[in-house]
Amino acid sequence: MAVPAALIPPTPLVPQPPISTTSATSSPSTTSSPSPSVAPSGQNLFRSEPINTSNSPGIPIGSLPSKPVYSTPSPVENTPQNNECKMVDLRGAKVASFTVESCELICLPQAFDLFLKHLVGGLHTVYTKLKRLEITPVVCNVEQVRILRGLGAIQPGVNRCKLISRKDFETLYNDCTNAR
């Protein structure tokens, strides 16, 4: 006669080491996985004391940059002077621009749409090229984004935009045309 599977006592395929617990009232675990805070050898996986990095090898704490390399720069200051938009001629097309700290900056997504999208895969590729060329675009403030949306320079759902100088745009454009 066959014995139903529910009556056969469960036996683990791989014997598990005993799990030490600090609670006196806890019962032994019936699961096959060990406790997440206890290593198979019975040692705790987490340190209870902080790690002292003052004598560890590697980069000294004082030599670390104040901002991580991957951090996004702060947006342009929201002032009336910075938010004054002009349509300027760039390679025969009108492009939105702002003057920030006496430097004319053009709308990068609009310039991409007009001049670069047929040369490269997408705007992400442009940002990768900018990083390689060591060009850091300027982040638009909220009011500038609102103005650019109103002019049709960027899509209605876009809530971020970056600006680039004419000189940096020419460097980017030359890189896109020569990379083919």
Side-chain angles (χ1 to χ4, degrees):
M1 173 194 250
V3 178
L7 298 176
I8 299 174
T11 55
L13 298 175
V14 179
Q16 297 292 321
I19 299 172
S20 63
T21 58
T22 56
S23 175
T25 60
S26 65
S27 60
S29 176
T30 57
T31 61
S32 62
S33 63
S35 170
S37 63
V38 179
S41 64
Q43 296 175 338
N44 194 345
L45 292 176
F46 304 103
R47 292 180 186 256
S48 59
E49 72 283 346
I51 299 173
N52 184 4
T53 57
S54 62
N55 60 1
S56 65
I59 301 172
I61 299 297
S63 69
L64 291 175
S66 60
K67 280 174 99 175
V69 177
Y70 56 84
S71 70
T72 304
S74 299
V76 173
E77 187 180 3
N78 193 356
T79 64
Q81 297 84 9
N82 290 344
N83 296 341
E84 189 176 316
C85 185
K86 292 182 281 189
M87 297 302 286
V88 296
D89 186 61
L90 179 69
R91 295 183 163 265
K94 293 290 184 185
V95 179
S97 76
F98 295 96
T99 302
V100 178
E101 296 176 8
S102 69
C103 181
E104 183 183 72
L105 301 173
I106 60 173
C107 174
L108 182 57
Q110 186 183 25
F112 164 78
D113 201 42
L114 292 169
F115 304 107
L116 303 175
K117 76 175 175 185
H118 65 282
L119 298 173
V120 295
L123 197 53
H124 180 77
T125 306
V126 168
Y127 287 121
T128 304
K129 285 181 176 290
L130 289 174
K131 196 173 218 175
R132 183 177 49 77
L133 294 168
E134 296 181 355
I135 296 172
T136 305
V138 178
V139 179
C140 289
N141 64 39
V142 175
E143 187 61 29
Q144 289 171 329
V145 171
R146 193 173 295 135
I147 292 166
L148 291 171
R149 262 196 256 123
L151 290 171
I154 57 176
Q155 298 295 319
V158 174
N159 59 5
R160 287 185 289 209
C161 185
K162 294 193 178 180
L163 305 171
I164 189 171
S165 70
R166 282 180 180 260
K167 177 181 170 269
D168 287 342
F169 175 75
E170 290 301 325
T171 303
L172 174 64
Y173 183 82
N174 290 336
D175 187 76
C176 291
T177 54
N178 295 332
R180 295 184 86 189

